[in-house]
Amino acid sequence: MATTFIVQGSVMKPCGMIDAPMMNNADAISVLAFGYIIGNIIYPELNRRQIKIPTTHKFAIGSAFGAVAVGCAIITDYQIHRVYKERGEAISILWQSFPYFLIGIGEIFAVSAAYEVAFTVAPAKKKSLASAANLFMVGGAPNVFCIYLYNACRSWFLNANGLAHIHKLSDYSTAKVVNYFWLLEAIAMFGVIVNLLPPVKNWVASIEEAAAEAVKTPMNTPMIRKNLKQRRKDRGGTNSNNDEETPLIKAKKHADYLKYGSGPELRKFGSMRAGPSLKNAHHNPPHDVGQGQSTSLAREVKNKLEPYADKK
């Protein structure tokens, strides 16, 4: 589409330093200006009112702005032919500012929604691949499609002599470039209709809901649970029986660690021993057993030796 705009602008009258290639910057200016307005004013106001625009409706809005932009290009093309036939003059390049600004607004809705869907719907390990694929679908695939479409409609870009040199106003007036714009208009309107169909809307919404549920409950994935168990085994050497620990068990272990430390826990158990009771031992100290035994032995020896002492 941008290439066709440049072809059309090449036969229009420049406005100072602004010519056909320079007008392509109007698209970027439109994205910056209206992107700020939509992102900081319109979307927050819709969120405040709890209004959510479905993804397919964003695509439809973007395609609708594109269709209006192509409609402005068609009007500009008819104006080029009319002024040339009446006065033999070219119209100002500023006529193309309307299509470029409308295309920029459409890109804010459609392209940003495409990036959002590609990143949120894709699995965690394939988000970069999904973003790259979306970048190709937004920037690469349309250019390839336009090349094939241009070759199929090549006869519309030929002048009265059958040549593809239509950069002069006299040659452009004999070509049928406006037919190509009408074809682009039909494609844009087809995109609007498809994205407004309820089955398409429900299909895209179901994909987004499935991706959202996968993000909310990632432990339902067997592979993730397996990887988590393996990481726990490698980190602490725990077996699979202790893999699932509730917060209460973790809190109890932490309390035991603060109370007893990380060393072995020693507990006091009851035991049996021989000997007198130690209860009130400091009040009734025990007798000296050895001293009593020696006294009785001396008395016995004395009694046995006394008869022999009397005989002498």
Side-chain angles (χ1 to χ4, degrees):
M1 184 183 296
T3 304
T4 312
F5 283 174
I6 294 176
V7 172
Q8 184 188 63
S10 63
V11 299
M12 302 174 72
K13 183 171 62 177
C15 181
M17 297 179 58
I18 303 176
D19 55 2
M22 283 286 293
M23 282 300 300
N24 197 26
N25 295 323
D27 183 10
I29 296 174
S30 174
V31 172
L32 292 175
F34 290 99
Y36 178 83
I37 296 174
I38 294 173
N40 293 275
I41 298 177
I42 297 179
Y43 278 160
E45 183 64 22
L46 293 176
N47 292 333
R48 189 178 66 84
R49 298 176 181 270
Q50 297 182 353
I51 299 176
K52 184 180 182 301
I53 303 177
T55 302
T56 54
H57 288 184
K58 292 180 181 179
F59 291 147
I61 294 173
S63 299
F65 275 103
V68 176
V70 176
C72 292
I74 293 174
I75 296 174
T76 301
D77 195 270
Y78 282 122
Q79 184 71 7
I80 291 173
H81 286 79
R82 187 186 66 81
V83 173
Y84 177 74
K85 290 180 179 180
E86 292 179 357
R87 302 192 298 266
E89 297 177 355
I91 64 175
S92 175
I93 191 67
L94 296 179
W95 277 79
Q96 284 194 331
S97 59
F98 299 104
Y100 276 115
F101 275 105
L102 291 171
I103 289 176
I105 299 174
E107 289 175 353
I108 295 171
F109 286 97
V111 178
S112 62
Y115 278 105
E116 180 182 359
V117 171
F119 189 80
T120 57
V121 173
K125 295 183 179 180
K126 296 182 180 180
K127 290 186 182 296
S128 58
L129 178 62
S131 298
N134 177 72
L135 183 62
F136 172 75
M137 295 302 296
V138 171
N143 292 333
V144 175
F145 176 76
C146 287
I147 291 174
Y148 284 103
L149 190 64
Y150 172 81
N151 291 329
C153 305
R154 188 178 180 84
S155 59
W156 294 340
F157 294 88
L158 302 179
N159 56 21
N161 298 325
L163 301 177
H165 301 288
I166 55 174
H167 299 292
K168 293 182 179 181
L169 185 56
S170 58
D171 295 328
Y172 185 87
S173 61
T174 60
K176 303 295 183 182
V177 181
V178 68
N179 293 342
Y180 188 79
F181 282 120
W182 277 112
L183 179 60
L184 295 179
E185 181 75 10
I187 294 174
M189 292 303 300
F190 176 77
V192 173
I193 296 173
V194 169
N195 285 287
L196 289 178
L197 293 177
V200 177
K201 172 190 172 183
N202 296 334
W203 176 64
V204 176
S206 64
I207 295 176
E208 293 176 337
E209 291 175 359
E213 289 297 327
V215 173
K216 291 180 181 178
T217 57
M219 294 301 295
N220 290 337
T221 306
M223 185 58 65
I224 296 179
R225 292 181 62 88
K226 182 179 179 181
N227 295 338
L228 180 59
K229 291 181 180 180
Q230 186 63 36
R231 287 198 301 269
R232 288 179 176 176
K233 288 181 181 179
D234 296 339
R235 184 170 60 248
T238 57
N239 53 21
S240 59
N241 295 330
N242 297 329
D243 186 67
E244 296 291 341
E245 292 185 353
T246 63
L248 292 177
I249 296 177
K250 293 181 179 179
K252 180 65 169 57
K253 287 186 176 181
H254 183 67
D256 292 342
Y257 168 76
L258 295 178
K259 185 176 181 180
Y260 303 109
S262 58
E265 182 178 348
L266 300 179
R267 297 182 181 273
K268 182 179 179 181
F269 296 95
S271 62
M272 297 180 66
R273 64 178 181 83
S277 174
L278 296 179
K279 186 176 181 180
N280 299 326
H282 59 285
H283 297 293
N284 299 319
H287 298 284
D288 191 351
V289 180
Q291 183 178 1
Q293 289 181 352
S294 61
T295 303
S296 60
L297 179 62
R299 187 181 298 112
E300 183 179 357
V301 171
K302 180 180 179 181
N303 294 332
K304 288 184 179 182
L305 293 178
E306 282 182 353
Y308 295 99
D310 295 339
K311 290 180 179 181
K312 289 182 180 181

